[in-house]
Amino acid sequence: GDDHPYGSRAEGGEGLALQMWDAYRRLGDESAFAREWLPANTEGGGLEQIAMEAIGPDGLAPGEAFHRAFSELLSLGCISPSLILQDSQSDQGFWPFSAQARAARHAEEAVEGREWHMLLGDLDVESDGEREDRDAFAYKYFKWQGHMVRYAEGGNEQGPAVLFVHGFGASADQWHKCIKELGSTHKVYAIDLLGFGHSAKPIVTYSQYLWEDVVRDFALEVVSRPLYLSGNSIGGYTAMSAASQLKGFCRGLILCNSAGRIVDAETFAAEERERGGTVKATLRREGAPAKESPPQWALNWAGRAIIAGLRPNVESFCKKVYPNSPEQVTPRLVDSIVRDSKDPGGFSILAAGFKLPPQATKNELLREFGGKLLVTQGVNDPLGGGVSKKRFALYNQVHPEEDVKLVSIEAGHCPQCEAYEEVSNAIRTFTAEVEGMVPA
């Protein structure tokens, strides 16, 4: 469809799939294939495609052209993974360092990575009944443009729907205590963003616009009724971005120490005048600026090295960002973060960080959303230079005061974990006020 990210080709069925696969093998060069088969749809495809146009075919990560071209076709059964594996092994032949051999190897790795996540999904479903909180929610999967995306679902079918979005390196499981707390009064969902948790980790250039599209599509296709969006850290920014697209479909926005830049009203107005409009409008009008980044091999190496270095230190790092209640850093939390980082393709998110397109401020996103806002802020957050309290105070400046509710919490970067009861109670009160059950 027109809203698919750069390079997705779901239409055309088996004939197109085989034609594309023949071209991939014949050209023997991923950039050449991308130039011929993966044009960015900058007219109707959204900001994800505009960002990818700036990166261009030569800026794609190794293997990205295959993922973008064939993931949905494989998911729809338009081309056989066995055929791709057989042809890829043949094409690696006697010249293992040629461009054709590299392209074949990336196709093989992509198919094997897909199979890994399909098996992981089957295991999740089979073992879900063994969780101690299995009565509170179930883990399920939906397919987003051919990729397996895990989510948690539980709670009261008659209550307001809430969708939780996790932060960087985390997963839906980070919200399990809030899901349990709110389950009696709310219908609750939590999603593993693409590239995190148990969701697939394709080698693609991740950006805020890609994750925004994942959350938007999940809200429309799975939740499929008006809902509240809530997010922590980069998940807060993603929820805000999706809410700006969903607008009236999103009944309210709930931020827990959201990532993203927020400035005072005067600075925002001055920046907008200088730019000649919003960040999003500028991207649509002028496209994303060309981005210089290190060679892809260096990015991949750095991504793998960073993840390997972080794994032994997950517990100590989490305790630093949970300063008030470090006991909430449980083996369940640590083990899930470490496990998720070992999946095929997990390193590619860090590599993509060097290619991020221009980011809209929270000011811009909140103005575009225009709805009710709850901010549950851990005011002892050590991240972001210790300016958590200052940022917290700005929300009343940048959003209409009658639409904002601020809740200060003695916690660090993840109040939904450290102080889940306080966060859940604040959400319960906020949604009740918006729904008109109690006086605002």
Side-chain angles (χ1 to χ4, degrees), residues 244-370:
S244 73
Q245 285 198 49
L246 293 167
K247 296 187 179 177
F249 196 79
C250 179
R251 299 277 291 157
L253 180 62
I254 303 155
L255 303 180
C256 300
N257 293 63
S258 171
R261 182 169 170 260
I262 187 170
V263 297
D264 61 69
E266 293 77 15
T267 301
F268 176 60
E271 290 179 353
E272 202 166 51
R273 284 194 302 271
E274 183 179 353
R275 194 187 304 111
T278 64
V279 169
K280 287 187 175 182
T282 303
L283 285 172
R284 293 188 179 100
R285 183 178 67 246
E286 302 175 5
K291 192 109 177 181
E292 292 290 333
S293 62
Q296 190 64 48
W297 65 265
L299 295 179
N300 290 348
W301 181 88
R304 294 178 192 271
I306 291 169
I307 286 179
L310 286 175
R311 280 187 196 127
N313 301 301
V314 167
E315 182 175 2
S316 61
F317 176 78
C318 287
K319 286 183 176 179
K320 288 178 182 176
V321 298
Y322 287 33
N324 290 77
S325 302
E327 70 277 4
Q328 296 295 346
V329 181
T330 61
R332 175 173 176 169
L333 174 66
V334 174
D335 291 347
S336 67
I337 293 173
V338 172
R339 193 226 68 80
D340 299 343
S341 72
K342 296 178 179 179
D343 283 346
F347 67 90
S348 62
I349 293 178
L350 292 170
F354 291 91
K355 303 178 184 178
L356 288 176
Q359 185 182 80
T361 61
K362 294 179 187 176
N363 307 59
E364 179 178 330
L365 296 176
L366 289 172
R367 185 176 66 184
E368 191 174 356
F369 165 56

Side-chain angles (χ1 to χ4, degrees), residues 82-138:
S82 298
L83 171 67
I84 291 175
L85 289 174
Q86 179 180 333
D87 288 346
S88 296
Q89 290 162 3
S90 172
D91 289 346
Q92 292 176 53
F94 298 104
W95 302 101
F97 302 109
S98 67
Q100 183 183 29
R102 285 196 300 272
R105 189 159 56 248
H106 294 149
E108 182 180 18
E109 290 170 353
V111 170
E112 290 175 346
R114 285 178 52 80
E115 295 298 315
W116 165 273
H117 280 98
M118 290 176 67
L119 290 171
L120 179 63
D122 289 342
L123 180 62
D124 277 348
V125 173
E126 290 174 7
S127 62
D128 201 40
E130 300 171 10
R131 279 186 298 106
E132 60 183 2
D133 49 7
R134 60 188 177 275
D135 293 335
F137 63 92

Side-chain angles (χ1 to χ4, degrees), residues 219-232:
L220 294 173
E221 295 173 20
V222 178
V223 181
S224 67
R225 65 178 172 112
L227 79 166
Y228 294 82
L229 283 173
S230 176
N232 168 242

